[in-house]
Amino acid sequence: MTRPIFILNGPNLNLLGKRQPEIYGRETLADVEGECRQQAETLGLAIRFHQSNAEFQIIDWIHEAREAGSGIIINPAAFTHTSVAILDALNTFDGPVLEVHISNVHKREAFRHHSYVSLRAEGVIAGFGVEGYVLAVRRMATLLGMAKV
């Protein structure tokens, strides 16, 4: 088994399933974590799943992934559009980075169309609901050479 994939979630995702379900759905972040763990196990991968409303905590996890992780899947939420600091931290990470958004950010307010994280990410998955996380785990397995055909 390779080093774990870090799955990092930004602000307000702790309210998933309760906050604006018409946009984000009714599944909780715990449901998402369970689905990611199930997919990772199927692929022979380990994950570390985290959520924080604090930018510094996300940066600290990215720094931790530099030593302990093989890849990063990140839903930076609102930090997507504002955080040069998260981009700078991701630029210190040598492995693959995938960006995930539950909603299709390109169908929403104009300020959501810009992502600092996309400047570092190998790929972006948006608009597939929480299923985007499972797709990201599958893609990460391919990027890491772990995909089972």
Side-chain angles (χ1 to χ4, degrees):
M1 188 177 290
T2 182
R3 296 184 304 171
I5 297 167
F6 279 59
I7 302 177
L8 307 178
N9 296 278
N12 299 311
L13 286 166
N14 56 305
L15 299 177
L16 195 59
K18 301 173 188 166
R19 173 182 166 250
Q20 297 177 288
E22 68 280 3
I23 295 174
Y24 302 110
R26 300 211 177 275
E27 289 185 272
T28 67
L29 196 59
D31 295 332
V32 173
E33 180 177 0
E35 291 170 19
C36 288
R37 287 192 184 286
Q38 184 177 33
Q39 181 66 53
E41 184 177 320
T42 298
L43 296 167
L45 298 170
I47 65 169
R48 301 258 316 266
F49 197 94
H50 300 291
Q51 186 278 327
S52 182
N53 296 319
E55 183 179 36
F56 77 88
Q57 181 61 73
I58 294 168
I59 292 166
D60 285 348
W61 286 324
I62 294 167
H63 292 177
E64 185 179 338
R66 291 181 69 223
E67 301 299 323
S70 60
I72 295 173
I73 296 170
I74 184 167
N75 181 345
F79 292 143
T80 302
H81 325 292
T82 63
S83 184
V84 174
I86 288 176
L87 171 62
D88 286 348
L90 288 169
N91 281 333
T92 71
F93 181 73
D94 288 332
V97 174
L98 296 174
E99 180 180 354
V100 174
H101 297 285
I102 296 167
S103 69
N104 181 350
V105 294
H106 302 289
K107 287 181 70 176
R108 299 186 63 196
E109 304 93 339
F111 74 87
R112 295 186 194 276
H113 301 175
H114 177 266
S115 168
Y116 285 104
V117 172
S118 291
L119 296 171
R120 170 58 181 86
E122 274 69 29
V124 179
I125 298 171
F128 288 88
V130 298
E131 185 180 357
Y133 284 88
V134 175
L135 295 171
V137 172
R138 288 178 52 198
R139 178 64 182 149
M140 185 62 73
T142 300
L143 293 172
L144 297 172
M146 300 290 294
K148 295 180 182 177
V149 181

